Amino acid sequence: MFRGKKYQESAKLIDKNVQYETAEGMELICKTASAKFDETVELHVKLGVDSRHADQQVRGAIVLPHGTGKTVRVLVFAKGDKADAAREAGADFVGDMDMVEKIQKENWFDFDVVVASPDMMGLVGRLGKVLGPKGLMPSPKAGTVTPDVAKAVKEVKAGKIEYRLDKTNIIHCPIGKVSFGAEKLAENYSALMGAIVKAKPASAKGQYIRSCVVASTMGPGVKMSTAKLV
């Protein structure tokens, strides 16, 4: 695979055989990000579990100490007082059947997170086939199906992210922007890794964290040492 000159220069700063400690790893991420835009920093963790088994699912949500640096658009399914509270909390879109129809008829997806009050799940369930594959289906586990929709909206706006295993047993999550600097990225990284370690299923055997790599959008991956976290 051909890589650009900037990428090749950046890659020289990273020793492929070293697993870096948190602070040093984040400094390297900031040094090796060379794009003209503010790159997103992503965490990729391969876990020693089997996502095909229901008792080995790793999934949850956490509010990152410094947020993600991304403006998140929130759609809320709620009625009455809850709808008003969601609007006050800063939800971008609020509705019930009108929103279901907009998504179904107009193929509308100008939102990043969906929050729903429990009484709306019968309605939202109709969208399972379109929201599910995009990872947008609200769930109690992620805190996006809740009677307190206003609180959920505030948390999402403050930088709450959901982490979950994909089919290859890897979790991919943003932990901020390069402009945050190494210290804030390190704090976000430690918070997320701490949550993933805590979420270890009781049935998981052997080595839980197989590998952990952090990379900016255009930059090379940095292998992270997780010995102290486990």
Side-chain angles (χ1 to χ4, degrees):
M1 184 176 179
F2 176 74
R3 298 286 197 177
K5 199 167 155 189
K6 276 184 180 172
Y7 181 96
Q8 289 172 4
E9 287 299 313
S10 294
K12 283 179 195 165
L13 298 172
I14 296 164
D15 187 336
K16 287 271 181 274
N17 303 313
V18 171
Q19 289 187 341
Y20 291 94
E21 293 300 334
T22 306
E24 197 183 351
M26 295 306 146
E27 273 171 22
L28 275 171
I29 290 290
C30 294
K31 259 187 211 158
T32 54
S34 55
K36 288 196 170 80
F37 60 91
D38 191 8
E39 296 178 50
T40 296
V41 179
E42 284 220 338
L43 169 69
H44 308 278
V45 192
K46 186 163 180 64
L47 298 181
V49 294
D50 188 343
S51 62
R52 289 172 304 183
H53 298 294
D55 63 349
Q56 292 197 24
Q57 283 298 330
V58 178
R59 176 176 189 183
I62 177 175
V63 178
L64 294 176
H66 303 288
T68 60
K70 185 182 166 205
T71 307
V72 184
R73 299 163 302 175
V74 185
L75 163 61
V76 178
F77 285 98
K79 278 183 175 168
D81 294 348
K82 284 182 182 153
D84 295 338
R87 284 188 194 95
E88 266 177 45
D92 300 83
F93 310 101
V94 182
D96 43 90
M97 195 60 206
D98 54 333
M99 289 295 167
V100 173
E101 285 178 353
K102 192 170 169 68
I103 292 167
Q104 284 175 331
K105 290 177 182 166
E106 297 173 31
N107 202 22
W108 173 74
F109 291 104
D110 291 343
F111 48 88
D112 308 293
V113 175
V114 180
V115 172
S117 59
D119 58 322
M120 299 302 285
M121 283 312 289
L123 203 60
V124 180
R126 299 180 195 180
L127 299 168
K129 278 187 181 152
V130 288
L131 294 181
K134 291 180 186 288
L136 290 168
M137 196 65 185
S139 80
K141 238 183 185 171
T144 44
V145 175
T146 169
D148 194 346
V149 288
K151 183 183 173 211
V153 170
K154 282 177 187 157
E155 285 183 346
V156 170
K157 291 283 186 183
K160 184 178 188 175
I161 55 163
E162 187 183 352
Y163 56 88
R164 59 196 292 188
L165 280 181
D166 68 6
K167 288 192 177 84
T168 58
N169 304 315
I170 298 175
I171 289 174
H172 307 275
C173 260
I175 56 166
K177 298 276 188 186
V178 168
S179 61
F180 282 20
E183 203 174 309
K184 285 183 178 177
L185 285 172
E187 285 173 18
N188 275 359
Y189 165 82
S190 299
L192 179 55
M193 284 304 291
I196 291 170
V197 170
K198 268 198 191 126
K200 180 182 178 180
S203 57
K205 300 278 182 280
Q207 190 183 353
Y208 178 52
I209 294 177
R210 292 282 167 87
S211 69
C212 177
V213 175
V214 177
S216 61
T217 310
M218 310 294 283
V222 175
K223 288 180 186 164
M224 304 296 291
S225 165
T226 57
K228 287 180 183 168
L229 297 167
V230 184

